[in-house]
């Protein structure tokens, strides 16, 4: 079970998180987010932990600049990016996570066109914001997903959700994306709670 911790900003907090060895750590480059990263924290990342840049409807040249400047391994797209847009990033040998806002009416067939241009899908709760709404959707509808791209689950996950997460039996379910459910304040995570969550989940 892969674990992605998103919305990081504080160097000391990140250093403590690195000791837990999550699979991905996400940095939000969307200036309307409460977790927006203006200057990238000066932290040495060990091999095996991937740096994820989160973008919303951003110009591809801007993304490529951030990737090069901050040595990002993965690009996560949270806006209305098209399959062609994702394919352009794939052309530059980048891992791509495409996020989709899910509710009871979500049509999983609508994302099949992204299959050849994404490494992961991320299923988040549909809300007023591009991600970061801190609420869950009905996880039972994940069974309607019949695609081949592995997915990460996001949206309001906290340390109390371990048993429900473990009940999800889906061949493409690869891991979870956690954020606000583990925060002391925006962009500052409770490391002890993440440690407890990770140990109980795996």
């Amino acid at each position: 079970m892969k674990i992605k911790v998103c919305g990081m900003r504080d160097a000391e907090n990140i250093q403590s998180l690195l000791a837990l060895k999550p699979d991905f750590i996400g940095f939000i480059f969307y200036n309307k987010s409460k977790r927006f990263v203006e200057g990238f924290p000066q932290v040495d990342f060990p091999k095996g932990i991937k740096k994820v840049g989160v973008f919303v409807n951003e110009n591809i040249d801007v993304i490529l600049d951030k990737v090069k400047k901050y040595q990002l391994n993965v690009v996560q797209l949270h806006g209305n990016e098209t399959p062609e847009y994702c394919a352009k990033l794939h052309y530059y040998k980048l891992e791509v996570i495409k996020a989709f806002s899910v509710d009871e009416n979500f049509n999983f067939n609508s994302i099949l066109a992204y299959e050849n241009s994404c490494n992961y899908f991320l299923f988040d709760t549909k809300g007023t914001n591009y991600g970061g709404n801190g609420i869950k959707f009905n996880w039972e509808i994940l069974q309607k997903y019949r695609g081949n791209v592995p997915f990460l689950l996001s949206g309001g996950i906290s340390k109390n959700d371990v048993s429900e997460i473990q009940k999800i039996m889906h061949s493409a379910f690869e891991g979870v994306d956690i954020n606000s459910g583990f925060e002391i304040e925006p962009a500052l995570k409770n490391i002890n709670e993440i440690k407890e969550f990770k140990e109980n989940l795996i």
Side-chain angles (χ1 to χ4, degrees):
M1 179 72 67
K2 295 184 184 301
I3 294 179
K4 175 177 174 284
V5 183
C6 201
M8 299 300 292
R9 187 165 58 205
D10 178 81
E12 189 175 335
N13 200 219
I14 294 165
Q15 200 68 60
S16 298
L17 178 61
L18 287 171
L20 302 184
K21 299 181 179 178
D23 299 279
F24 307 92
I25 296 181
F27 301 90
I28 298 175
F29 294 97
Y30 176 56
N31 61 14
K32 293 182 181 179
S33 170
K34 291 182 287 187
R35 299 163 186 87
F36 173 58
V37 176
E38 289 189 70
F40 201 80
Q42 297 299 306
V43 179
D44 290 328
F45 270 61
K47 279 189 174 182
I49 301 178
K50 295 179 179 180
K51 283 185 276 189
V52 182
V54 181
F55 301 90
V56 178
N57 299 326
E58 186 58 89
N59 182 288
I60 283 183
D61 288 337
V62 172
I63 292 178
L64 294 175
D65 179 66
K66 301 284 188 193
V67 166
K68 184 177 180 181
K69 187 175 181 180
Y70 303 126
Q71 296 182 304
L72 303 177
N73 309 107
V74 186
V75 172
Q76 180 173 315
L77 306 171
H78 252 281
N80 304 312
E81 298 88 1
T82 63
E84 293 75 22
Y85 181 105
C86 297
K88 285 181 182 178
L89 290 169
H90 237 1
Y91 172 80
Y92 289 99
K93 310 298 183 192
L94 290 168
E95 281 193 47
V96 177
I97 300 173
K98 179 68 185 85
F100 297 97
S101 298
V102 177
D103 62 10
E104 294 286 346
N105 301 313
F106 186 74
N107 179 7
F108 285 94
N109 289 329
S110 68
I111 66 176
L112 295 177
Y114 289 86
E115 291 231 326
N116 295 323
S117 56
C118 297
N119 299 83
Y120 296 95
F121 291 152
L122 185 146
F123 297 135
D124 198 0
T125 310
K126 187 172 184 178
T128 54
N129 302 315
Y130 287 110
N133 291 286
I135 53 176
K136 297 181 183 69
F137 62 91
N138 176 10
W139 293 346
E140 290 182 7
I141 66 175
L142 292 170
Q143 297 305 323
K144 295 180 180 178
Y145 174 57
R146 299 283 189 267
N148 298 313
V149 176
F151 70 85
L152 305 176
L153 176 63
S154 187
I157 295 171
S158 75
K159 67 175 185 177
N160 300 319
D161 293 315
V162 170
S163 61
E164 291 303 310
I165 292 168
Q166 290 173 334
K167 289 178 185 176
I168 300 173
M169 296 298 167
H170 195 300
S171 60
F173 180 35
E174 193 86 357
V176 294
D177 175 77
I178 61 175
N179 193 342
S180 61
F182 292 84
E183 284 189 331
I184 300 163
E185 61 184 65
L188 191 68
K189 301 298 188 288
N190 186 320
I191 300 300
N192 289 332
E193 287 195 356
I194 295 175
K195 182 175 186 289
E196 179 186 339
F197 174 79
K198 186 174 186 285
E199 287 174 350
N200 290 335
L201 188 63
I202 295 173

